[in-house]
Amino acid sequence: AQTVTQSQPEMSVQEAETVTLSCTYDTSESDYYLFWYKQPPSRQMILVIRQEAYKQQNATENRFSVNFQKAAKSFSLKISDSQLGDAAMYFCAYRSGGFGGGSNYKLTFGKGTLLTVNP
Amino acid sequence: EAGVTQFPSHSVIEKGQTVTLRCDPISGHDNLYWYRRVMGKEIKFLLHFVKESKQDESGMPNNRFLAERTGGTYSTLKVQPAELEDSGVYFCASSQERDWYNSPLHFGNGTRLTVT
């Protein structure tokens, strides 16, 4: 079974600074997807960024980027130019299978990292 | 478009009582998922519907939990009888069946269940 570990229960960052959230995972599969989700206080969880395991290039979405190290099974999230609206619980998640894995979103999540952004 | 909605947002019940949680997915989303986060632990997959069929219910904790999705629209998750360890936040999510790769998973706000 796959596991996802987020070793930082809480992190804080100054507004406009950069912060990196850690995530490691354990799997014997070669095809899989990795995700970072964000849940602001009292709001819905939303997708921040996604990485396909077969892609060597790290995914980037505006101020959010990942450092995907497949051999090390590491998938960290970097938030640049942090904004107050980035304050949230961040979850790292794993999904088995490539395109042949079916259409399901059966995700394995980490425990989450609570990010505080200080003005 | 309306998002995934869950009712109630909070529920406090006593041990041994019954609670029913409801989830309305985004219209047209055939895939519906239930997840649960017990305080301080990971969000855990409970089950997956495709339309009205249970595709995967491997995450359901025990037979005190019953999920239904009659007609393939909204879903209910009943806990009967509730136990203290059932406390947590229950999330519902939905996605399109086709082109799932480009169709993100949409989550509801969750139902916070407290069993006393």
Side-chain angles (χ1 to χ4, degrees):
Chain A
Q2 294 80 28
T3 59
V4 176
T5 301
Q6 293 180 250
S7 59
Q8 305 153 318
E10 297 183 21
M11 290 283 285
S12 64
V13 63
Q14 289 297 124
E15 196 175 4
E17 296 295 311
T18 295
V19 64
T20 298
L21 308 184
S22 300
C23 173
T24 58
Y25 58 95
D26 188 24
T27 184
S28 59
E29 299 176 331
S30 57
D31 286 336
Y32 50 87
Y33 294 85
L34 296 166
F35 305 84
W36 278 99
Y37 282 89
K38 164 187 176 181
Q39 186 181 24
S42 301
R43 294 180 61 185
Q44 296 169 332
M45 190 152 47
I46 58 173
L47 177 66
V48 175
I49 199 165
R50 174 180 64 189
Q51 176 78 41
E52 296 86 342
Y54 63 86
K55 289 186 176 179
Q56 292 185 339
Q57 186 173 6
N58 289 324
T60 300
E61 289 288 342
N62 301 314
R63 299 182 295 105
F64 298 86
S65 62
V66 298
N67 183 3
F68 174 47
Q69 300 290 327
K70 191 172 184 179
K73 296 179 182 175
S74 173
F75 182 61
S76 61
L77 174 70
K78 185 172 81 172
I79 306 173
S80 304
D81 186 24
S82 297
Q83 301 176 0
L84 295 178
D86 295 333
M89 180 72 83
Y90 286 80
F91 294 98
C92 179
Y94 173 103
R95 178 200 180 271
S96 295
F99 281 101
S103 63
N104 77 83
Y105 266 106
K106 182 179 181 180
L107 302 176
T108 300
F109 284 90
K111 289 185 179 181
T113 297
L114 180 62
L115 178 66
T116 301
V117 181
N118 300 311
Chain B
E1 66 180 0
V4 176
T5 53
Q6 294 186 244
F7 305 95
S9 57
H10 294 85
S11 180
V12 180
I13 62 172
E14 293 183 352
K15 177 182 173 180
Q17 290 186 323
T18 298
V19 63
T20 300
L21 313 181
R22 172 169 170 150
C23 168
D24 286 70
I26 292 174
S27 178
H29 282 193
D30 289 334
N31 288 307
L32 187 149
Y33 307 82
W34 284 98
Y35 284 86
R36 175 176 76 169
R37 185 183 188 212
V38 173
M39 189 57 65
K41 296 191 176 182
E42 299 88 347
I43 299 172
K44 295 278 194 181
F45 168 85
L46 295 180
L47 86 160
H48 168 211
F49 283 100
V50 177
K51 297 184 180 178
E52 67 275 10
S53 299
K54 291 177 184 175
Q55 191 76 9
D56 182 350
E57 52 184 328
S58 61
M60 295 289 265
N62 50 61
N63 58 10
R64 295 185 293 103
F65 289 76
L66 175 64
E68 295 180 321
R69 193 183 182 195
T70 306
T73 54
Y74 71 91
S75 174
T76 58
L77 180 64
K78 181 191 290 187
V79 184
Q80 179 183 26
E83 297 289 343
L84 298 178
E85 63 264 25
D86 299 333
S87 296
V89 180
Y90 290 77
F91 293 100
C92 177
S94 71
S95 69
Q96 293 179 340
E97 174 67 7
R98 295 183 178 182
D99 193 24
W100 73 269
Y101 181 76
N102 291 310
S103 171
L105 187 63
H106 296 262
F107 281 87
N109 282 354
T111 293
R112 181 174 296 278
L113 174 64
T114 302
V115 182
T116 63

